[in-house]
Amino acid sequence: MSELVPEPRPKPAVPMKPVSINSNLLGYVGIDTIIEQMRKKTMKTGFDFNIMVVGQSGLGKSTLVNTLFKSQVSRKAASWNREEKIPKTVEIKAIGHVIEEGGVKMKLTVIDTPGFGDQINNENCWEPIEKYINEQYEKFLKEEVNIARKKRIPDTRVHCCLYFISPTGHSLRPLDLEFMKHLSKVVNIIPVIAKADTMTLEEKSEFKQRVRKELEVNGIEFYPQKEFDEDLEDKTENDKIRQESMPFAVVGSDKEYQVNGKRVLGRKTPWGIIEVENLNHCEFALLRDFVIRTHLQDLKEVTHNIHYETYRAKRLNDNGGLPPVSVDTEESHDSNP
């Protein structure tokens, strides 16, 4: 594969901060109720979250996503039968679900990519994935520029891409580097080491360090990107994630076992039960907290404010500043004599 030179990424415009004047309120105004108002509105409307999983077959992608959301949100691909053939090209399969917790509804879409990395020649197998991601930006842009646009535009943009690294313990494959070099420019990539229970603690620690070093040497940025830290608090929190947690070494399982009188998710081995949510066994709990409990909203905001805006600016610039013409409009023009 030819060596790729990283392209400079456009930095988002930083708006001027308004001049603030500290003034003591003479009585209760109710400004603090805006949080409750936003919460009520979100509970009524719900929200979208679209997560893509990429990696070779057999790395436990579907199992991990099911474990993340504690429900069957990703269909497991059955093992290949002798009569079946491995897909000749990368396929894109999106499955949507509505899951609810504590009165909050989330429309979750899991996008799987069967066939990725499973060929003898995997050159450019990232292209269908990049094409799909950009197609979702295009759909959103065309809805956005419509004169009579919908009150709430359906959001099919990919907010997060979990990239599964094979637990070789050696180094990243050329395919891993090629994929992340291209796709890190258009989507939030979170690298994870799959099936981490196949490595010893020392091997896991060394492999994590080696992966971080290879990504740095090759100029590959993964989420959370340094340049988008908004303040010192964000930088401190994200630096710890970037320098210690990434890439998350995980184990997925949707099976429960009895351990010390408690039901736990885990994998049974001849040596005992590997508990998925036990930090002494793997980093699944760190990944879950990162994706869902602390950074989910930020993943959506970076997608909209950075990746989508970059795509939008390029499309409008290529079109001479005019919005793209929708397919329906083009067809109506073609049908006129």
Side-chain angles (χ1 to χ4, degrees):
M1 292 184 183
S2 60
E3 187 177 351
L4 296 170
V5 179
E7 297 177 5
R9 295 184 62 178
K11 291 200 172 184
V14 179
M16 291 181 63
K17 292 184 178 179
V19 178
S20 60
I21 301 173
N22 291 327
S23 58
N24 296 322
L25 301 176
L26 300 177
Y28 180 69
V29 176
I31 298 171
D32 57 347
T33 63
I34 185 65
I35 304 299
E36 180 62 18
Q37 294 173 44
M38 292 167 69
R39 188 187 72 85
K40 284 183 177 179
K41 190 168 185 180
T42 301
M43 288 183 72
K44 283 182 182 178
T45 60
F47 63 96
D48 303 303
F49 187 61
N50 309 316
I51 184 169
M52 174 180 274
V53 290
V54 181
Q56 281 183 298
S57 298
L59 292 180
K61 301 186 296 295
S62 298
T63 300
L64 185 77
V65 174
N66 289 339
T67 314
L68 265 179
F69 295 99
K70 294 193 174 180
S71 55
Q72 296 294 318
V73 293
S74 181
R75 296 175 188 169
K76 292 184 182 180
S79 300
W80 298 112
N81 296 325
R82 290 181 180 179
E83 296 79 16
E84 292 178 327
K85 294 181 180 178
I86 295 174
K88 292 183 179 179
T89 56
V90 177
E91 299 175 0
I92 310 289
K93 294 185 177 180
I95 305 170
H97 300 268
V98 175
I99 57 180
E100 185 174 348
E101 183 180 49
V104 179
K105 290 181 181 178
M106 177 170 73
K107 184 185 175 187
L108 174 69
T109 301
V110 178
I111 304 109
D112 198 1
T113 54
F116 177 85
D118 295 333
Q119 314 303 318
I120 295 173
N121 180 7
N122 289 301
E123 189 175 2
N124 298 335
C125 67
W126 46 266
E127 287 182 344
I129 298 172
E130 184 178 35
K131 181 173 180 284
Y132 175 87
I133 291 169
N134 284 330
E135 282 173 352
Q136 308 320 303
Y137 291 147
E138 184 71 12
K139 282 169 66 175
F140 195 90
L141 176 59
K142 286 181 176 178
E143 287 284 353
E144 199 176 49
V145 299
N146 278 342
I147 296 174
R149 65 182 181 184
K150 297 171 183 175
K151 184 179 179 181
R152 190 178 179 211
I153 300 174
D155 191 1
T156 60
R157 297 171 297 180
V158 180
H159 301 124
C160 169
C161 173
L162 294 181
Y163 186 77
F164 286 69
I165 298 167
S166 183
T168 61
H170 302 297
S171 60
L172 291 171
R173 300 170 304 161
L175 175 61
D176 299 327
L177 295 171
E178 190 87 2
F179 176 88
M180 287 190 271
K181 273 181 181 176
H182 283 89
L183 274 293
S184 62
K185 300 184 183 77
V186 298
V187 71
N188 296 316
I189 290 181
I190 299 176
V192 297
I193 299 172
K195 298 194 172 181
D197 54 320
T198 60
M199 296 185 288
T200 66
L201 294 176
E202 292 77 15
E203 288 171 341
K204 182 176 71 175
S205 177
E206 290 174 7
F207 190 43
K208 282 165 67 78
Q209 291 179 30
R210 198 173 296 123
V211 169
R212 284 197 294 266
K213 186 66 177 174
E214 285 189 77
L215 292 175
E216 182 183 351
V217 168
N218 285 276
I220 297 170
E221 290 187 348
F222 51 82
Y223 178 87
Q225 300 90 335
K226 291 180 182 178
E227 59 187 304
F228 304 142
D229 291 339
E230 293 186 354
D231 52 35
L232 185 59
E233 184 183 356
D234 275 359
K235 185 180 185 304
T236 303
E237 180 185 357
N238 290 337
D239 274 347
K240 187 175 181 181
I241 293 167
R242 287 185 285 256
Q243 295 165 13
E244 297 178 15
S245 301
M246 290 285 185
F248 296 99
V250 299
V251 176
S253 175
D254 48 14
K255 292 183 179 178
E256 286 190 341
Y257 295 93
Q258 193 87 11
V259 177
N260 297 326
K262 293 182 179 179
R263 301 292 295 176
V264 298
L265 289 170
R267 291 189 66 237
K268 191 173 184 179
T269 71
W271 304 276
I273 305 295
I274 298 164
E275 299 173 41
V276 168
E277 296 178 284
N278 187 334
L279 285 174
N280 293 320
H281 294 189
C282 78
E283 296 167 347
F284 168 81
L286 293 178
L287 173 65
R288 177 202 57 207
D289 290 355
F290 177 66
V291 172
I292 300 173
R293 301 182 184 181
T294 63
H295 284 69
L296 189 147
Q297 183 58 31
D298 189 64
L299 282 162
K300 289 167 63 74
E301 288 178 5
V302 171
T303 298
H304 181 76
N305 297 330
I306 307 299
H307 297 304
Y308 170 66
E309 279 300 317
T310 301
Y311 178 87
R312 178 179 175 275
K314 185 177 184 304
R315 283 287 284 116
L316 295 179
N317 186 56
D318 291 346
N319 211 30
L322 298 173
V325 180
S326 67
V327 176
D328 294 339
T329 307
E330 289 175 344
E331 286 176 352
S332 64
H333 284 318
D334 292 341
S335 61
N336 290 333

